[in-house]
Amino acid sequence: MSETDRRTAILLIHCPDRRGIVAAISRFLSEHGGNIVDLDQHVDTEQGVFFLRAEWELRGFALPADGIAEAFRRELAEPFDMTWRLHFSDERPRMAIFASRLAHCLYDLLARWQTGELAVDIPLIISNHDELRPVAKRFGIDFYHLPVTPETKAKVERQQNDLLADYRIDFAVLARYMQILSADFIQAWPERIINIHHSFLPAFAGARPYHAAHERGVKIIGATSHYVTEDLDAGPIIEQDVTRVTHRDSVADLVRKGRDLEQLVLARAVWLHVQRKTLVYRNRTVVFD
Amino acid sequence: MSETDRRTAILLIHCPDRRGIVAAISRFLSEHGGNIVDLDQHVDTEQGVFFLRAEWELRGFALPADGIAEAFRRELAEPFDMTWRLHFSDERPRMAIFASRLAHCLYDLLARWQTGELAVDIPLIISNHDELRPVAKRFGIDFYHLPVTPETKAKVERQQNDLLADYRIDFAVLARYMQILSADFIQAWPERIINIHHSFLPAFAGARPYHAAHERGVKIIGATSHYVTEDLDAGPIIEQDVTRVTHRDSVADLVRKGRDLEQLVLARAVWLHVQRKTLVYRNRTVVFD
Amino acid sequence: MSETDRRTAILLIHCPDRRGIVAAISRFLSEHGGNIVDLDQHVDTEQGVFFLRAEWELRGFALPADGIAEAFRRELAEPFDMTWRLHFSDERPRMAIFASRLAHCLYDLLARWQTGELAVDIPLIISNHDELRPVAKRFGIDFYHLPVTPETKAKVERQQNDLLADYRIDFAVLARYMQILSADFIQAWPERIINIHHSFLPAFAGARPYHAAHERGVKIIGATSHYVTEDLDAGPIIEQDVTRVTHRDSVADLVRKGRDLEQLVLARAVWLHVQRKTLVYRNRTVVFD
Amino acid sequence: MSETDRRTAILLIHCPDRRGIVAAISRFLSEHGGNIVDLDQHVDTEQGVFFLRAEWELRGFALPADGIAEAFRRELAEPFDMTWRLHFSDERPRMAIFASRLAHCLYDLLARWQTGELAVDIPLIISNHDELRPVAKRFGIDFYHLPVTPETKAKVERQQNDLLADYRIDFAVLARYMQILSADFIQAWPERIINIHHSFLPAFAGARPYHAAHERGVKIIGATSHYVTEDLDAGPIIEQDVTRVTHRDSVADLVRKGRDLEQLVLARAVWLHVQRKTLVYRNRTVVFD
């Protein structure tokens, strides 16, 4: 089967819950001859909201790819008051990486990109330090060193925005980027900036979480990947994971053990985002996994 | 809302996969005014089999509870060649427990029954030893001591079968029951006997798994709950869990750490079974959780 | 070997770190012919503190059991400025349980006591509600219903203290006891009250942690057992554990999944305490496990 | 403090257990003025074997580094019949990587080497395929493509051995190298070849473990890193880890989820080996972590 033949369409929706939504959507797909590859739905009964992710093959589907959106809007989205996105499996999002001095998350993302696990293009790395330039060079990616000071921050963010535009970036990953982005910057990229925080949020938000965890004497540490919002470390959580520690572990041990968590959790979150498996509603994610 | 009002119907099906199944089922439910509480489906693309669990409220459903089966058979099950079961949430299955000398799984199941977590009746405990009689008495449950020897085994199994019939038992749980049931006995109770094995199957099947795990020097031990089939420790797995061990752990430590796994994994498996969330197909389970 | 023969002594110490401590302690034990069963030490290099747990057989030990403390004080504790405790394996601490309405942790502790896993006596259960009286009765344990209101709180705590004294209680376990103890009460029982909090502390301290976790949209929930101090939910952590949740889990699901964590984490913490494996230093625990 | 000042000596021993070993070793270290950084011991009471790892600062130690071995042999190793190794923290072992077509473990090890997490030199990569040459080139490492067929296997192993000698390799890591080494080759490198097997051993040893795990319907998959011995997949286990899977996971999903386990478990095992924290006794490891 050729690549074209395997192309799928992916629909992500949420709408007020009511009877008959699944029936209507599945009828829409089956009447046009869609072979459903994956169908996952969820009802938040407390909030009365219906969520759905559907993926179906374009081969044999009666509607042309560029006609689906219009038909869906008319037949389903408007009658059911849906918020929705339509994607195609052969889109290849363009991803930028922001980093500082720590290389582990950067290396991990680049390796997953090289092995084909992450179906993205990575044309751009931005850093407020110059240390990771050799890593970018090693993988043939453009690297921009944009140091940030309180005075230059606004100007640097404009440069960053220009770069994201120039490189036609779809979403950005903060791979242990140790700068806080401004509200303006964040608002321009809603649900399109993914961060990794080195704690089990909401515990130990803010700076130096491993020191704080050590001080508190916790027996488990974690890492959290989330979409960035204006509230620091408080955006919708995509993925978390943890590992055990003991009184024997110094802060340096927590840092070492935490690195594995950070790169793993960030990689999973980016993968879920790229696979169009995440949906945000009122600061929480629905992860169709 | 009264208990009657909250009654739900639960449908578990599998059938050859083809287009339009979800549409047909969801139309069946929505056309009769069914408010879907939970809908979960899975397609095994490799085997071409479709699986579904649907749960909907009976209140407001146009068909009477005792008319659903017939309507479903005619409109859906026969046209789509479905294998299916229909349950109602107010059924309260009757569960028997088989035990030997170890009390922890027995205590755990009885506590979950008493606190209402397990919506079952437990009228009967059978054991090949007499040690656990006081536990049964403490919870007011009939206890039968049926010792098993190679000579008496066939006779004892007839007694066990009679007891299960007399007490109108729906399914049995082997809570560390250290006897191997005969093929005849097992065949009479397909997917209705749940066992806990004290290893991460398929590793360390058979006797003395903690000794074998210690001897092999594994760094993680586990427990496995499965439906009992004629092949020893080889039935469809419902649930598994693991915990870390080190070179410091003696066999006695593995036994102690393993107890927590055993009772937890068994309890989860029984809960899934009672909630009608398990479906067996070709020696594997689909667990709609 | 008789029980007497297997008796062991357990020493828990901490002191300012300096060269030669291990040599001095191990020489003390070996010169008196002690057969070391377990020896575990830890140096907190940051704080410059040495910690040690040693367990050795009394059989063949040159000093009589009641002479060890004096010899140890003279030869080691005073020269090295040690804070220390000496225990014997045949001590059987007397444990009280405080509970409210939820039965799962109570049942779990009682089962572990009955099966011999917890080497304690449990003569006393205190509750601010009467619902769990039948559970206490089932296990033959005295049960006191002491309702608490803001007005009666001080008086009730005096009654509780009298009961703990009358029953010669060594330590108390708060098994989902939903009352906050006063600073006076807590100060009278330093490192002798063990609580289970139904969150991954320090996240979601205080009331309704499952609601807060659901609201925040975390992907993992936890439970934490700690020694009670005057700062609410901020005492030294003995044990924690976690489990994954998804957007599908309602608050009720978190409560259900959390129950297993709570009883398991609490049971492990109590076991560690009873085995004399915990040592508190500056609001953190050293757990010799 | 200069690098020289922080140099430590590491001693790994095992010997028949008897009273006074800890006292003798700690006296040896304290009498020569050694500041112990880490001391970890274990007694296998069943086998009557004593294990110890000690790490102490060379600064201020009365014996010169090159005189420690001789003094230790005379004063302790011979009297106590010890099997032992002495290492120094500034040794930098030379590590070769064997790989085939899969890049994830290779990338992961190289990233950990680049970031300084693994204190090794990696001068050599050997593969039976040519696909990973660009990865080696990217990191500036010599790459040898040595295809293996049944006919050429013996000859290729001689070439491999020559390369390991030429590059003065201390130990080798099989990073998903899909060839079985001969008994001769393995015997020449005892406890110096580390493999990653993509299952939770001893379950699913041999070929295609993910297919076997899927077929068996397990709810958890794992990965195992072990020292290579002549018995395939049966050498002493250094590290294992697991992750949950469901009926929704195809074989391809298991492969994807398993990759993260493989690289993480292998990296931990290599780190433990490099840190001199592993000791093998009768096909099991003692891991001083």
Side-chain angles (χ1 to χ4, degrees), chain A residues 73-108:
Chain A
R73 182 190 325 271
R74 196 178 55 239
E75 297 179 36
L76 288 165
E78 289 180 356
F80 285 94
D81 195 18
M82 292 172 174
T83 303
W84 59 289
R85 287 150 47 202
L86 179 68
H87 294 288
F88 296 99
S89 61
D90 56 351
E91 295 163 8
R92 200 171 167 86
R94 293 172 68 82
M95 165 176 147
I97 302 178
F98 285 63
S100 290
R101 283 191 172 106
L102 294 171
H104 59 290
C105 287
L106 177 60
Y107 264 125
D108 188 68

mmCIF file of all heavy atoms in Angstrom, chain A residues 73-108:
data_model
loop_
_atom_site.group_PDB
_atom_site.id
_atom_site.type_symbol
_atom_site.label_atom_id
_atom_site.label_comp_id
_atom_site.label_asym_id
_atom_site.label_seq_id
_atom_site.Cartn_x
_atom_site.Cartn_y
_atom_site.Cartn_z
ATOM 1 N N ARG A 73 -18.692 20.689 8.918
ATOM 2 C CA ARG A 73 -19.221 21.907 9.540
ATOM 3 C C ARG A 73 -20.749 21.963 9.366
ATOM 4 O O ARG A 73 -21.485 22.168 10.330
ATOM 5 C CB ARG A 73 -18.581 23.127 8.883
ATOM 6 C CG ARG A 73 -19.025 24.462 9.495
ATOM 7 C CD ARG A 73 -18.552 25.666 8.665
ATOM 8 N NE ARG A 73 -17.258 25.480 8.062
ATOM 9 C CZ ARG A 73 -16.084 25.786 8.639
ATOM 10 N NH1 ARG A 73 -16.084 26.319 9.845
ATOM 11 N NH2 ARG A 73 -14.952 25.569 7.993
ATOM 12 N N ARG A 74 -21.175 21.716 8.137
ATOM 13 C CA ARG A 74 -22.600 21.865 7.828
ATOM 14 C C ARG A 74 -23.439 20.789 8.498
ATOM 15 O O ARG A 74 -24.433 21.069 9.159
ATOM 16 C CB ARG A 74 -22.766 21.797 6.307
ATOM 17 C CG ARG A 74 -24.100 22.305 5.783
ATOM 18 C CD ARG A 74 -24.089 22.227 4.288
ATOM 19 N NE ARG A 74 -23.765 20.863 3.838
ATOM 20 C CZ ARG A 74 -22.723 20.533 3.061
ATOM 21 N NH1 ARG A 74 -21.897 21.457 2.629
ATOM 22 N NH2 ARG A 74 -22.524 19.277 2.706
ATOM 23 N N GLU A 75 -22.953 19.531 8.380
ATOM 24 C CA GLU A 75 -23.805 18.419 8.835
ATOM 25 C C GLU A 75 -23.738 18.189 10.340
ATOM 26 O O GLU A 75 -24.687 17.708 10.938
ATOM 27 C CB GLU A 75 -23.417 17.127 8.101
ATOM 28 C CG GLU A 75 -23.640 17.199 6.598
ATOM 29 C CD GLU A 75 -23.226 15.905 5.898
ATOM 30 O OE1 GLU A 75 -23.422 14.817 6.485
ATOM 31 O OE2 GLU A 75 -22.669 15.990 4.786
ATOM 32 N N LEU A 76 -22.567 18.508 10.962
ATOM 33 C CA LEU A 76 -22.390 18.131 12.370
ATOM 34 C C LEU A 76 -21.973 19.275 13.276
ATOM 35 O O LEU A 76 -22.566 19.482 14.333
ATOM 36 C CB LEU A 76 -21.356 16.996 12.474
ATOM 37 C CG LEU A 76 -21.875 15.639 11.965
ATOM 38 C CD1 LEU A 76 -20.702 14.701 11.750
ATOM 39 C CD2 LEU A 76 -22.846 15.040 12.965
ATOM 40 N N ALA A 77 -20.923 19.978 12.893
ATOM 41 C CA ALA A 77 -20.339 20.949 13.820
ATOM 42 C C ALA A 77 -21.345 22.034 14.191
ATOM 43 O O ALA A 77 -21.487 22.381 15.380
ATOM 44 C CB ALA A 77 -19.085 21.563 13.208
ATOM 45 N N GLU A 78 -22.067 22.548 13.207
ATOM 46 C CA GLU A 78 -23.014 23.623 13.544
ATOM 47 C C GLU A 78 -24.230 23.103 14.302
ATOM 48 O O GLU A 78 -24.567 23.663 15.344
ATOM 49 C CB GLU A 78 -23.373 24.397 12.279
ATOM 50 C CG GLU A 78 -22.162 25.237 11.831
ATOM 51 C CD GLU A 78 -22.408 26.058 10.569
ATOM 52 O OE1 GLU A 78 -23.491 25.939 9.984
ATOM 53 O OE2 GLU A 78 -21.485 26.794 10.181
ATOM 54 N N PRO A 79 -24.876 22.028 13.815
ATOM 55 C CA PRO A 79 -26.034 21.543 14.581
ATOM 56 C C PRO A 79 -25.700 21.181 16.035
ATOM 57 O O PRO A 79 -26.530 21.386 16.920
ATOM 58 C CB PRO A 79 -26.474 20.293 13.814
ATOM 59 C CG PRO A 79 -25.898 20.423 12.455
ATOM 60 C CD PRO A 79 -24.678 21.280 12.566
ATOM 61 N N PHE A 80 -24.494 20.648 16.252
ATOM 62 C CA PHE A 80 -24.157 20.198 17.614
ATOM 63 C C PHE A 80 -23.305 21.215 18.377
ATOM 64 O O PHE A 80 -22.844 20.923 19.464
ATOM 65 C CB PHE A 80 -23.436 18.842 17.558
ATOM 66 C CG PHE A 80 -24.330 17.682 17.275
ATOM 67 C CD1 PHE A 80 -24.519 17.221 15.974
ATOM 68 C CD2 PHE A 80 -25.013 17.048 18.321
ATOM 69 C CE1 PHE A 80 -25.355 16.135 15.720
ATOM 70 C CE2 PHE A 80 -25.847 15.966 18.068
ATOM 71 C CZ PHE A 80 -26.026 15.518 16.762
ATOM 72 N N ASP A 81 -23.065 22.378 17.769
ATOM 73 C CA ASP A 81 -22.308 23.445 18.439
ATOM 74 C C ASP A 81 -20.911 22.964 18.861
ATOM 75 O O ASP A 81 -20.482 23.136 20.000
ATOM 76 C CB ASP A 81 -23.106 23.921 19.665
ATOM 77 C CG ASP A 81 -22.565 25.251 20.190
ATOM 78 O OD1 ASP A 81 -21.838 25.935 19.439
ATOM 79 O OD2 ASP A 81 -22.867 25.581 21.353
ATOM 80 N N MET A 82 -20.221 22.342 17.902
ATOM 81 C CA MET A 82 -18.923 21.724 18.203
ATOM 82 C C MET A 82 -17.758 22.696 18.068
ATOM 83 O O MET A 82 -17.731 23.505 17.145
ATOM 84 C CB MET A 82 -18.651 20.560 17.235
ATOM 85 C CG MET A 82 -19.570 19.372 17.442
ATOM 86 S SD MET A 82 -19.331 18.148 16.113
ATOM 87 C CE MET A 82 -20.381 16.819 16.703
ATOM 88 N N THR A 83 -16.779 22.576 18.954
ATOM 89 C CA THR A 83 -15.444 23.130 18.749
ATOM 90 C C THR A 83 -14.616 21.992 18.178
ATOM 91 O O THR A 83 -14.601 20.901 18.742
ATOM 92 C CB THR A 83 -14.853 23.604 20.083
ATOM 93 O OG1 THR A 83 -15.747 24.559 20.662
ATOM 94 C CG2 THR A 83 -13.477 24.225 19.883
ATOM 95 N N TRP A 84 -13.928 22.218 17.064
ATOM 96 C CA TRP A 84 -13.308 21.071 16.395
ATOM 97 C C TRP A 84 -12.069 21.451 15.601
ATOM 98 O O TRP A 84 -11.856 22.613 15.253
ATOM 99 C CB TRP A 84 -14.328 20.402 15.466
ATOM 100 C CG TRP A 84 -14.853 21.325 14.407
ATOM 101 C CD1 TRP A 84 -15.711 22.383 14.596
ATOM 102 C CD2 TRP A 84 -14.535 21.291 13.019
ATOM 103 N NE1 TRP A 84 -15.946 23.001 13.402
ATOM 104 C CE2 TRP A 84 -15.260 22.357 12.422
ATOM 105 C CE3 TRP A 84 -13.739 20.469 12.226
ATOM 106 C CZ2 TRP A 84 -15.180 22.604 11.044
ATOM 107 C CZ3 TRP A 84 -13.664 20.714 10.851
ATOM 108 C CH2 TRP A 84 -14.375 21.767 10.280
ATOM 109 N N ARG A 85 -11.223 20.432 15.356
ATOM 110 C CA ARG A 85 -10.048 20.560 14.505
ATOM 111 C C ARG A 85 -9.977 19.329 13.604
ATOM 112 O O ARG A 85 -10.287 18.220 14.045
ATOM 113 C CB ARG A 85 -8.763 20.591 15.336
ATOM 114 C CG ARG A 85 -8.520 21.877 16.106
ATOM 115 C CD ARG A 85 -7.741 21.623 17.388
ATOM 116 N NE ARG A 85 -6.578 20.772 17.150
ATOM 117 C CZ ARG A 85 -5.973 20.063 18.108
ATOM 118 N NH1 ARG A 85 -6.436 20.076 19.369
ATOM 119 N NH2 ARG A 85 -4.936 19.320 17.825
ATOM 120 N N LEU A 86 -9.558 19.554 12.374
ATOM 121 C CA LEU A 86 -9.382 18.439 11.436
ATOM 122 C C LEU A 86 -7.913 18.389 11.020
ATOM 123 O O LEU A 86 -7.351 19.408 10.610
ATOM 124 C CB LEU A 86 -10.270 18.656 10.203
ATOM 125 C CG LEU A 86 -10.180 17.588 9.107
ATOM 126 C CD1 LEU A 86 -10.764 16.255 9.580
ATOM 127 C CD2 LEU A 86 -10.911 18.070 7.851
ATOM 128 N N HIS A 87 -7.289 17.230 11.152
ATOM 129 C CA HIS A 87 -5.901 17.061 10.739
ATOM 130 C C HIS A 87 -5.788 15.910 9.742
ATOM 131 O O HIS A 87 -6.680 15.068 9.656
ATOM 132 C CB HIS A 87 -5.019 16.738 11.950
ATOM 133 C CG HIS A 87 -4.917 17.856 12.939
ATOM 134 N ND1 HIS A 87 -4.206 18.996 12.703
ATOM 135 C CD2 HIS A 87 -5.448 17.993 14.186
ATOM 136 C CE1 HIS A 87 -4.292 19.800 13.750
ATOM 137 N NE2 HIS A 87 -5.051 19.215 14.668
ATOM 138 N N PHE A 88 -4.648 15.905 9.027
ATOM 139 C CA PHE A 88 -4.371 14.767 8.149
ATOM 140 C C PHE A 88 -3.032 14.165 8.541
ATOM 141 O O PHE A 88 -2.104 14.887 8.922
ATOM 142 C CB PHE A 88 -4.384 15.205 6.682
ATOM 143 C CG PHE A 88 -5.730 15.698 6.252
ATOM 144 C CD1 PHE A 88 -6.021 17.061 6.206
ATOM 145 C CD2 PHE A 88 -6.738 14.790 5.951
ATOM 146 C CE1 PHE A 88 -7.277 17.512 5.855
ATOM 147 C CE2 PHE A 88 -8.005 15.236 5.587
ATOM 148 C CZ PHE A 88 -8.276 16.600 5.541
ATOM 149 N N SER A 89 -2.952 12.840 8.447
ATOM 150 C CA SER A 89 -1.772 12.152 8.977
ATOM 151 C C SER A 89 -0.484 12.509 8.256
ATOM 152 O O SER A 89 0.601 12.278 8.764
ATOM 153 C CB SER A 89 -1.988 10.642 8.923
ATOM 154 O OG SER A 89 -2.189 10.221 7.588
ATOM 155 N N ASP A 90 -0.599 13.065 7.024
ATOM 156 C CA ASP A 90 0.643 13.368 6.307
ATOM 157 C C ASP A 90 1.111 14.808 6.523
ATOM 158 O O ASP A 90 2.092 15.231 5.927
ATOM 159 C CB ASP A 90 0.508 13.056 4.815
ATOM 160 C CG ASP A 90 -0.656 13.792 4.194
ATOM 161 O OD1 ASP A 90 -1.456 14.406 4.939
ATOM 162 O OD2 ASP A 90 -0.790 13.746 2.959
ATOM 163 N N GLU A 91 0.391 15.567 7.348
ATOM 164 C CA GLU A 91 0.934 16.858 7.760
ATOM 165 C C GLU A 91 2.184 16.581 8.592
ATOM 166 O O GLU A 91 2.218 15.634 9.360
ATOM 167 C CB GLU A 91 -0.075 17.603 8.655
ATOM 168 C CG GLU A 91 -1.363 18.015 7.983
ATOM 169 C CD GLU A 91 -2.434 18.362 9.004
ATOM 170 O OE1 GLU A 91 -2.103 18.426 10.213
ATOM 171 O OE2 GLU A 91 -3.590 18.518 8.613
ATOM 172 N N ARG A 92 3.172 17.397 8.443
ATOM 173 C CA ARG A 92 4.412 17.206 9.193
ATOM 174 C C ARG A 92 4.713 18.504 9.917
ATOM 175 O O ARG A 92 5.317 19.411 9.336
ATOM 176 C CB ARG A 92 5.540 16.838 8.219
ATOM 177 C CG ARG A 92 6.706 16.173 8.880
ATOM 178 C CD ARG A 92 7.684 15.631 7.847
ATOM 179 N NE ARG A 92 8.924 15.283 8.491
ATOM 180 C CZ ARG A 92 9.165 14.116 9.075
ATOM 181 N NH1 ARG A 92 8.242 13.175 9.059
ATOM 182 N NH2 ARG A 92 10.319 13.899 9.678
ATOM 183 N N PRO A 93 4.280 18.608 11.172
ATOM 184 C CA PRO A 93 4.421 19.901 11.864
ATOM 185 C C PRO A 93 5.876 20.309 11.999
ATOM 186 O O PRO A 93 6.763 19.462 12.118
ATOM 187 C CB PRO A 93 3.774 19.672 13.236
ATOM 188 C CG PRO A 93 3.363 18.261 13.306
ATOM 189 C CD PRO A 93 3.625 17.598 12.003
ATOM 190 N N ARG A 94 6.107 21.605 11.991
ATOM 191 C CA ARG A 94 7.445 22.162 12.139
ATOM 192 C C ARG A 94 7.622 22.603 13.583
ATOM 193 O O ARG A 94 6.893 23.428 14.096
ATOM 194 C CB ARG A 94 7.636 23.329 11.165
ATOM 195 C CG ARG A 94 7.645 22.845 9.700
ATOM 196 C CD ARG A 94 7.640 23.994 8.709
ATOM 197 N NE ARG A 94 8.877 24.763 8.715
ATOM 198 C CZ ARG A 94 9.994 24.421 8.069
ATOM 199 N NH1 ARG A 94 10.038 23.283 7.384
ATOM 200 N NH2 ARG A 94 11.054 25.200 8.122
ATOM 201 N N MET A 95 8.639 22.055 14.202
ATOM 202 C CA MET A 95 8.824 22.212 15.644
ATOM 203 C C MET A 95 10.128 22.948 15.942
ATOM 204 O O MET A 95 11.177 22.634 15.381
ATOM 205 C CB MET A 95 8.866 20.795 16.238
ATOM 206 C CG MET A 95 9.390 20.648 17.653
ATOM 207 S SD MET A 95 9.235 18.877 18.175
ATOM 208 C CE MET A 95 10.689 18.733 19.243
ATOM 209 N N ALA A 96 10.050 23.952 16.820
ATOM 210 C CA ALA A 96 11.253 24.641 17.293
ATOM 211 C C ALA A 96 11.568 24.174 18.708
ATOM 212 O O ALA A 96 10.668 23.812 19.464
ATOM 213 C CB ALA A 96 11.036 26.152 17.299
ATOM 214 N N ILE A 97 12.850 24.148 19.030
ATOM 215 C CA ILE A 97 13.248 23.778 20.389
ATOM 216 C C ILE A 97 13.939 24.975 21.042
ATOM 217 O O ILE A 97 14.835 25.581 20.446
ATOM 218 C CB ILE A 97 14.203 22.566 20.386
ATOM 219 C CG1 ILE A 97 13.535 21.357 19.706
ATOM 220 C CG2 ILE A 97 14.622 22.210 21.824
ATOM 221 C CD1 ILE A 97 14.425 20.131 19.603
ATOM 222 N N PHE A 98 13.484 25.322 22.247
ATOM 223 C CA PHE A 98 14.165 26.308 23.073
ATOM 224 C C PHE A 98 14.943 25.561 24.140
ATOM 225 O O PHE A 98 14.392 24.675 24.800
ATOM 226 C CB PHE A 98 13.143 27.218 23.776
ATOM 227 C CG PHE A 98 12.499 28.252 22.892
ATOM 228 C CD1 PHE A 98 11.706 27.873 21.810
ATOM 229 C CD2 PHE A 98 12.652 29.604 23.156
ATOM 230 C CE1 PHE A 98 11.094 28.826 21.002
ATOM 231 C CE2 PHE A 98 12.046 30.573 22.359
ATOM 232 C CZ PHE A 98 11.262 30.180 21.272
ATOM 233 N N ALA A 99 16.218 25.904 24.325
ATOM 234 C CA ALA A 99 17.019 25.225 25.343
ATOM 235 C C ALA A 99 17.910 26.236 26.038
ATOM 236 O O ALA A 99 18.010 27.395 25.602
ATOM 237 C CB ALA A 99 17.854 24.118 24.721
ATOM 238 N N SER A 100 18.556 25.815 27.110
ATOM 239 C CA SER A 100 19.503 26.696 27.792
ATOM 240 C C SER A 100 20.878 26.030 27.807
ATOM 241 O O SER A 100 21.547 26.011 26.796
ATOM 242 C CB SER A 100 19.011 27.030 29.195
ATOM 243 O OG SER A 100 17.888 27.884 29.110
ATOM 244 N N ARG A 101 21.247 25.433 28.941
ATOM 245 C CA ARG A 101 22.561 24.799 29.015
ATOM 246 C C ARG A 101 22.492 23.278 29.081
ATOM 247 O O ARG A 101 23.441 22.596 28.733
ATOM 248 C CB ARG A 101 23.310 25.284 30.262
ATOM 249 C CG ARG A 101 23.893 26.668 30.149
ATOM 250 C CD ARG A 101 24.813 26.912 31.326
ATOM 251 N NE ARG A 101 25.543 28.161 31.182
ATOM 252 C CZ ARG A 101 25.273 29.266 31.881
ATOM 253 N NH1 ARG A 101 24.295 29.244 32.766
ATOM 254 N NH2 ARG A 101 25.985 30.353 31.700
ATOM 255 N N LEU A 102 21.378 22.752 29.588
ATOM 256 C CA LEU A 102 21.290 21.301 29.771
ATOM 257 C C LEU A 102 20.940 20.627 28.456
ATOM 258 O O LEU A 102 19.992 21.018 27.772
ATOM 259 C CB LEU A 102 20.251 20.979 30.835
ATOM 260 C CG LEU A 102 20.615 21.467 32.239
ATOM 261 C CD1 LEU A 102 19.440 21.312 33.191
ATOM 262 C CD2 LEU A 102 21.826 20.688 32.749
ATOM 263 N N ALA A 103 21.694 19.575 28.132
ATOM 264 C CA ALA A 103 21.586 18.986 26.798
ATOM 265 C C ALA A 103 20.675 17.765 26.727
ATOM 266 O O ALA A 103 20.299 17.343 25.644
ATOM 267 C CB ALA A 103 22.981 18.582 26.308
ATOM 268 N N HIS A 104 20.320 17.165 27.882
ATOM 269 C CA HIS A 104 19.709 15.832 27.799
ATOM 270 C C HIS A 104 18.375 15.811 27.068
ATOM 271 O O HIS A 104 18.131 14.933 26.256
ATOM 272 C CB HIS A 104 19.587 15.203 29.193
ATOM 273 C CG HIS A 104 18.781 15.989 30.155
ATOM 274 N ND1 HIS A 104 19.195 17.184 30.680
ATOM 275 C CD2 HIS A 104 17.580 15.744 30.713
ATOM 276 C CE1 HIS A 104 18.286 17.648 31.533
ATOM 277 N NE2 HIS A 104 17.291 16.788 31.561
ATOM 278 N N CYS A 105 17.476 16.758 27.354
ATOM 279 C CA CYS A 105 16.179 16.766 26.657
ATOM 280 C C CYS A 105 16.363 17.081 25.176
ATOM 281 O O CYS A 105 15.675 16.520 24.318
ATOM 282 C CB CYS A 105 15.239 17.784 27.304
ATOM 283 S SG CYS A 105 14.595 17.258 28.907
ATOM 284 N N LEU A 106 17.288 17.961 24.879
ATOM 285 C CA LEU A 106 17.558 18.307 23.483
ATOM 286 C C LEU A 106 18.053 17.079 22.716
ATOM 287 O O LEU A 106 17.522 16.740 21.646
ATOM 288 C CB LEU A 106 18.603 19.430 23.434
ATOM 289 C CG LEU A 106 19.050 19.869 22.047
ATOM 290 C CD1 LEU A 106 17.875 20.395 21.227
ATOM 291 C CD2 LEU A 106 20.156 20.922 22.136
ATOM 292 N N TYR A 107 19.054 16.402 23.256
ATOM 293 C CA TYR A 107 19.568 15.186 22.605
ATOM 294 C C TYR A 107 18.454 14.157 22.410
ATOM 295 O O TYR A 107 18.344 13.513 21.374
ATOM 296 C CB TYR A 107 20.674 14.555 23.461
ATOM 297 C CG TYR A 107 22.075 14.933 23.056
ATOM 298 C CD1 TYR A 107 22.949 15.488 23.979
ATOM 299 C CD2 TYR A 107 22.534 14.711 21.759
ATOM 300 C CE1 TYR A 107 24.247 15.831 23.629
ATOM 301 C CE2 TYR A 107 23.837 15.040 21.398
ATOM 302 C CZ TYR A 107 24.686 15.607 22.329
ATOM 303 O OH TYR A 107 25.967 15.925 21.965
ATOM 304 N N ASP A 108 17.645 13.994 23.434
ATOM 305 C CA ASP A 108 16.604 12.974 23.372
ATOM 306 C C ASP A 108 15.592 13.281 22.273
ATOM 307 O O ASP A 108 15.211 12.396 21.495
ATOM 308 C CB ASP A 108 15.910 12.881 24.734
ATOM 309 C CG ASP A 108 14.949 11.721 24.794
ATOM 310 O OD1 ASP A 108 15.425 10.562 24.760
ATOM 311 O OD2 ASP A 108 13.723 11.949 24.847
#
